[in-house]
Amino acid sequence: MQGLVSDRPSALAEEATLAALLRCCVREVAGPRGLVWPAPPYLLLRVAGTLLRARTHGGAALRFDGAPERLEGGAWQPLAVDELVRLVEADLRGHNGEFAGQVAASRDAVAAILRARAEAVPPADPWLASEQALVFGHPFHPSPKSRGGDDWLRYAPEAHAEFPVRLLGVREDVLAEEGDLSALDGMGAAPSGYRVLPAHPWQVELLRPALGAELIDLGPGPVVLPTSSVRTVYAPEAEVCLKFSLDVRITNCLRKNAWYELAGAVELTSRLTPIFQETVVKYPATRWLPEPGHRSAALGTRLHEGLGVIVRESPWAVCSPGVTPVLAAALVLEAPPGDPLAWWSAYVSAVAPPVLELYFTHGVVLEPHLQNVLVGLDGSGMPAQAVFRDLEGAKLVAGRHDLDGLHPEVAGALTYDAERGWARVVYCLLVNHLTEIAATVAGQDDDLLRELWRLAHDLLARQAGELGRPLPLSDLLAGAPLPAKANLGVRWARAADRAAGYVPIANPLA
Ligand SMILES: Nc1ncnc2c1ncn2[C@@H]1O[C@H](COP(=O)(O)OP(=O)(O)OP(=O)(O)O)[C@@H](O)[C@H]1O
Ligand SMILES: [Mg+2]
């Protein structure tokens, strides 16, 4: 009995890891080859010649009911993660000696997170609790929780970690900063001739050998709580978020604030301020989190980027009184209370119009995936506001903004051509985000799911009319396939996240 109880985290971790990998297989391995067949109540697919099946609901979100199986010797057997990894390896050409290890590490991390959560107390702040609720992570990623280093659990949001930032003092002659940094100056006192630079304690350990005499260690500073991205933390006393660099691979990339991204955040903040002001007039539910300043030390690229911190406003500061910000990815975990159609209509009306308005009217590409959007819920739990964050993913459409005067690398990193920008908008908003929310709202009810998408279609069609029916939006409403980011493909290729391609999937608006 004891063994069974303590093995529950391992079993749940196996189940979640299998589900995420199988979703990737449907979307990226079998799907593009025409090897996925609906056979109600099952979905069948073939990977490396082996037939697999699972009961599903939730449309493109692929929620599984019961254990996925493989056909072996004429009988259906339960499928295990390690077997599916071997099938993927056999199916995909080439060789990747890391893949199996990353999937296994992610599974082990989920189990460790589940064990740690059982002993930990979630934050009282409901927004922070939602940031720390992503136990299983990205549902379409082969290794959603793989995280480099040995120390990760001490800093894991899912384990409700809480720790003091490390305060460094930067000698003023090597200070690198831009924008409003009053929030950082208030975090501690530095000796004369130095300025306070808060740093992630994990990163300080990783960089310790490279820290020289221009930096002094001022010891622990204010307590902070990690948000869902791990490297961005909330400092409750100062009421700001701090986006740190972490030289650790978290899902797809080393989480480093490149020097041109530090500069880009502040540049985008000043450019987006008037644009959002206009957008709020038209869509009053719209909010965003400005990133008004960054600070680091001009001590070569490694330290400049490794210690670079971006100040970001708190969602509490931008939501109206009585409105509680909640991470969109956390809203996927449980069906909302009350009338599903009214809730979904309020949700889509808050989230989608500003994204489309910004793209078509202002040439701005947001990255509104589930982890970059917070939804403000009113006292009855109805969506009332949408908060967009993470300027690293926000881009300006090439040719629509005057970028003269910017450093070419800064300008390059914050522009996208129109087509690439549109693919990103559609992937993040529809595939990554609304598909998951819709699946949660509808539960097992496929008729309700269809009704939700009909409603979304009508809401978007109305806005398309107001925008003068731009062609890409008309195509979308007519049912053009949606671009789904190929997370398995980019891990298999061991390529940078920005090199990830898309695979087409069916459009639920059709
Ligand atoms: N549905 C999802 N879509 C995208 N990312 C997700 C999703 N669910 C969980 N995540 C996780 O959220 C993180 C998103 O990373 P992203 O690059 O947007 O954030 P960041 O730039 O590091 O930090 P921040 O969002 O604070 O600016 C990753 O760790 C990813 O695994
Ligand atoms: Mg993000």
Side-chain angles (χ1 to χ4, degrees):
M1 215 40 219
Q2 187 57 40
L4 269 181
V5 171
S6 62
D7 251 14
R8 179 99 180 116
S10 303
L12 280 173
E14 165 79 14
E15 189 185 308
T17 306
L18 180 64
L21 185 58
L22 191 57
R23 287 186 199 103
C24 291
C25 287
V26 172
R27 198 173 263 184
E28 299 181 50
V29 180
R33 297 174 196 184
L35 298 177
V36 177
W37 307 276
Y42 291 100
L43 189 71
L44 288 176
L45 65 154
R46 195 183 287 283
V47 181
T50 297
L51 207 54
L52 309 176
R53 74 173 187 184
R55 290 173 182 258
T56 71
H57 67 275
L62 290 177
R63 305 280 166 86
F64 299 120
D65 306 311
E69 296 170 311
R70 78 194 140 89
L71 191 61
E72 197 183 280
W76 289 102
Q77 307 286 347
L79 178 65
V81 169
D82 295 344
E83 287 162 347
L84 187 55
V85 166
R86 277 195 293 278
L87 292 176
V88 170
E89 286 175 334
D91 198 295
L92 298 176
R93 307 244 152 67
H95 175 74
N96 181 332
E98 294 172 359
F99 186 77
Q102 285 171 347
V103 175
S106 179
R107 177 183 54 196
D108 294 348
V110 172
I113 284 167
L114 285 167
R115 288 190 194 100
R117 276 173 88 82
E119 321 259 285
V121 182
D125 177 328
W127 160 58
L128 285 168
S130 76
E131 294 280 357
Q132 301 192 343
L134 310 188
V135 172
F136 303 116
H138 199 304
F140 282 85
H141 195 288
S143 50
K145 287 287 160 179
S146 78
R147 221 164 268 182
D150 300 325
D151 258 0
W152 64 270
L153 203 51
R154 279 172 58 193
Y155 303 112
E158 308 87 346
H160 306 312
E162 208 181 289
F163 48 86
V165 284
R166 197 79 192 174
L167 295 182
L168 302 177
V170 186
R171 220 170 59 200
E172 274 168 358
D173 60 311
V174 293
L175 190 68
E177 66 173 36
E178 258 182 309
D180 178 358
L181 294 146
S182 44
L184 302 191
D185 289 326
M187 285 188 183
S192 150
Y194 288 83
R195 302 302 283 272
V196 172
L197 175 66
H200 197 294
W202 192 2
Q203 181 73 341
V204 172
E205 288 321 308
L206 296 170
L207 291 178
R208 175 100 45 204
L211 304 183
E214 304 86 348
L215 294 166
I216 50 176
D217 190 344
L218 301 173
V223 167
V224 295
L225 295 93
T227 68
S228 50
S229 71
V230 182
R231 45 89 161 250
T232 301
V233 304
Y234 181 60
E237 273 172 54
E239 292 181 50
V240 289
C241 301
L242 303 176
K243 183 169 181 170
F244 291 120
S245 286
L246 267 186
D247 290 358
V248 172
R249 181 183 291 286
I250 297 169
T251 48
N252 283 340
C253 22
L254 284 181
R255 299 290 162 168
K256 201 173 309 216
N257 292 326
W259 68 267
Y260 47 83
E261 286 164 351
L262 295 169
V266 177
E267 178 66 31
L268 271 175
T269 294
S270 62
R271 285 174 182 256
L272 293 182
T273 297
I275 292 176
F276 269 103
Q277 268 163 5
E278 247 182 74
T279 307
V280 176
V281 173
K282 216 157 160 186
Y283 299 104
T286 310
R287 297 291 182 276
W288 68 298
L289 300 186
E291 298 180 354
H294 70 82
R295 176 173 285 173
S296 190
L299 293 169
T301 308
R302 173 135 188 257
L303 288 183
H304 185 184
E305 297 187 338
L307 294 174
V309 56
I310 293 169
V311 177
R312 175 186 291 168
E313 278 190 29
S314 156
W316 287 111
V318 303
C319 282
S320 304
V323 172
T324 301
V326 176
L327 182 62
L331 290 171
V332 167
L333 303 173
E334 210 180 313
D339 173 10
L341 287 170
W343 193 92
W344 167 255
S345 168
Y347 193 98
V348 176
S349 303
V351 171
V355 175
L356 299 176
E357 169 76 6
L358 282 160
Y359 180 79
F360 288 109
T361 306
H362 299 283
V364 172
V365 176
L366 295 181
E367 192 185 29
H369 63 52
L370 283 170
Q371 189 272 345
N372 280 341
V373 177
L374 310 163
V375 172
L377 301 178
D378 71 12
S380 58
M382 283 293 271
Q385 294 180 330
V387 186
F388 299 95
R389 73 162 168 208
D390 194 350
L391 299 187
E392 184 188 340
K395 308 286 170 191
L396 304 176
V397 175
R400 304 221 15 207
H401 299 263
D402 178 8
L403 300 177
D404 286 354
L406 290 187
H407 189 291
E409 270 181 86
V410 175
L414 55 75
T415 34
Y416 256 20
D417 65 49
E419 214 175 307
R420 202 161 145 238
W422 179 242
R424 173 88 141 223
V425 164
V426 174
Y427 163 66
C428 289
L429 180 66
L430 287 166
V431 179
N432 184 299
H433 190 153
L434 292 180
T435 294
E436 296 292 334
I437 299 286
T440 294
V441 171
Q444 312 257 3
D445 188 341
D446 282 348
D447 292 332
L448 175 56
L449 188 63
R450 275 188 288 277
E451 210 168 323
L452 296 179
W453 283 111
R454 245 192 318 271
L455 214 157
H457 181 281
D458 294 349
L459 290 169
L460 298 185
R462 195 173 323 142
Q463 192 184 358
E466 287 161 17
L467 288 165
R469 296 185 204 292
L471 191 58
L473 189 50
S474 297
D475 286 353
L476 184 73
L477 288 164
L482 304 182
K485 188 176 163 214
N487 283 314
L488 185 149
V490 74
R491 289 273 33 88
W492 183 259
R494 285 184 271 195
D497 190 39
R498 63 179 178 282
Y502 294 106
V503 290
I505 65 166
N507 180 344
L509 292 167

